[in-house]
Structure formats: structure tokens, C-alpha cells
Amino acid sequence: MKRFFAVFMMFCLWPACCGCSVPPQQSAPPSFEFSAQVHVMSGEEDFNCAFSRSAPGIASCQTGGISFYWEEDGFRVSSSDLSVKRSSCSLPETSSIRLLQQLLDQAAAQDLEKVSGREWRGDYEDKAFSVFLDEETGRLQKIEVPAYSLTVEFLEFTAE
């Protein structure tokens, strides 16, 4: 009986004695398809908006009663019952909303460099940017583009 108990204990303790451990969990890659409330800070701009992106070139932003839509066949702005559609984006080049849409397309298209568990880096128009994400889900938490003084915080995700 003692011999059986000794053999049993050896098999039970073997993994602990051999240094077996669970391999570290890989962090999820960034997910650029989302719908969320975001806080945008850029220079003198500081506002919240509902932003969503479903595919390259397809995104929308709603803020202050105005909606901006990037679609495969052009760009549309609407407010109340008035809507204007164009073949190109009519926002200024320096618009934070336009920059965010283009930055997300660029980030999704390139292989970002993983800096740490939650920080990834890339470049947009030869300007470096950082993407911070939740390590478990891959959801965006923050994007920073120092050259444009742009910081976007992702506050509340409303759908995947």
C-alpha cells in the first residue's frame, strides 16, 4: 500500500517538479472593425462622437447632429433631413474626423509593430502613430499621433 501511495504521489507531483507551466497567452491583434463612443483631442478640438468602421473605406461619425459617412461610392454628410453626397471627402485635410478615418484604414492595411503587450506602432504619411489596445479582446483603447497632436480614446463599444 505504501508503494502504491508513493507511485501515486510521484505522478501527481511530477508536473510541479518538472517545471511545467502554462505557456503565456498571446495578446489579441488590434481589431479595426467596431462601433464605439470616442473622445477626440487635437489641438483646440476636444469632442465626443459615435464612430464606427466596418471595412476599409467604410466608416461613419455622428457628432452634434451632423453625420459623416465614408462609403465605397463616395462621402456623404447629413444633418436632420438634409444630405449631401460627393465623390470625395469635403472635410478639410486637417479635420480630426477625416484624419481618424484615414488613420484607421492605414493601420488596418499595414503590419503594425508590436511594442509591448498593449502598444502597437505604425506610420501614416511618414508620421509615427501608436495604437493601444486591450490585450485580451484586441479592442482599441487609444490612438496617438504626436505629429498631429491627435489623441483618440475609445470609451464605450456599442457593437462588434
Side-chain angles (χ1 to χ4, degrees):
M1 185 68 157
K2 289 182 182 181
R3 190 177 295 169
F4 174 75
F5 182 72
V7 171
F8 175 75
M9 289 304 290
M10 183 177 75
F11 282 112
C12 290
L13 295 175
W14 182 298
C17 295
C18 293
C20 293
S21 63
V22 177
Q25 188 176 10
Q26 296 288 333
S27 60
S31 174
F32 294 104
E33 295 177 5
F34 63 90
S35 181
Q37 291 293 320
V38 299
H39 183 183
V40 179
M41 297 162 283
S42 175
E44 294 181 15
E45 291 183 306
D46 189 344
F47 61 92
N48 290 338
C49 67
F51 195 95
S52 65
R53 182 182 183 278
S54 58
I58 301 175
S60 67
C61 178
Q62 291 80 36
T63 182
I66 300 174
S67 298
F68 304 91
Y69 301 94
W70 289 266
E71 301 164 332
E72 292 177 345
D73 61 341
F75 174 75
R76 184 169 40 103
V77 178
S78 65
S79 178
S80 299
D81 294 333
L82 179 63
S83 181
V84 177
K85 187 170 186 172
R86 300 178 45 119
S87 60
S88 63
C89 183
S90 59
L91 291 173
E93 289 292 326
T94 58
S95 165
S96 299
I97 297 172
R98 181 176 186 175
L99 180 59
L100 176 58
Q101 184 272 331
Q102 292 174 339
L103 181 66
L104 289 167
D105 278 352
Q106 181 69 26
Q110 67 179 259
D111 290 329
L112 299 177
E113 174 190 355
K114 187 173 182 178
V115 178
S116 70
R118 64 180 289 259
E119 182 181 1
W120 299 64
R121 286 198 187 137
D123 63 82
Y124 171 73
E125 295 183 345
D126 296 323
K127 310 278 190 299
F129 66 88
S130 294
V131 175
F132 298 88
L133 54 104
D134 181 289
E135 290 183 66
E136 293 178 15
T137 65
R139 284 185 172 172
L140 297 167
Q141 292 179 326
K142 181 169 56 171
I143 295 178
E144 294 178 339
V145 189
Y148 292 111
S149 300
L150 176 68
T151 300
V152 179
E153 295 175 342
F154 296 80
L155 306 174
E156 181 181 329
F157 288 83
T158 54
E160 283 294 320

